[in-house]
Amino acid sequence: MPTDVLVPADLLDAAAARFRLLGDPTRLRLLRALYDADELPVHAVADATGQSHANTSKHLRQLAQAGVVAGRRDGLLVYYRITDPTLRRLCDVVCDALADGE
């Protein structure tokens, strides 16, 4: 959706919320772990990121409420996966700019 303004007025609040959501290093660590594995149960995400189970669950819930990840229950375990198709492109843009010193 190319536009001649940086952020259209009707999307300002939603864009700010998305940047806040992705502006937390813990959530970025969780997303990196999910990206690397495709799908993981909560305890494995916690182990991979060095976070407590409770903290991991809290952050995964926030990501799920925003539609970035989705969870599915299998018995006692909840498995999460990334569902936002724009996440990879957004991370590439930001990380490339940081790597280039912009």
Side-chain angles (χ1 to χ4, degrees):
M1 176 176 80
T3 181
D4 59 345
V5 296
L6 182 61
V7 181
D10 61 333
L11 296 178
L12 284 171
D13 290 338
R18 180 57 53 101
F19 285 125
R20 274 192 306 276
L21 181 74
L22 297 176
D24 184 285
T26 297
R27 286 192 284 272
L28 291 178
R29 285 184 189 94
L30 301 181
L31 289 169
R32 185 176 61 190
L34 290 173
Y35 186 81
D36 289 345
D38 291 328
E39 184 181 65
L40 289 172
V42 175
H43 74 274
V45 177
D47 290 347
T49 59
Q51 302 298 310
S52 70
H53 187 278
N55 194 42
T56 299
S57 291
K58 177 189 86 165
H59 285 289
L60 287 170
R61 256 190 321 277
Q62 290 172 325
L63 290 164
Q65 288 170 344
V68 175
V69 302
R72 69 171 178 86
R73 183 167 292 283
D74 184 11
L76 297 176
L77 301 177
V78 178
Y79 288 79
Y80 281 90
R81 69 187 182 292
I82 295 172
T83 56
D84 182 341
T86 67
L87 188 61
R88 180 76 233 186
R89 290 191 317 258
L90 179 60
C91 288
D92 285 346
V93 167
V94 171
C95 291
D96 288 348
L98 292 171
D100 291 343
E102 294 178 19

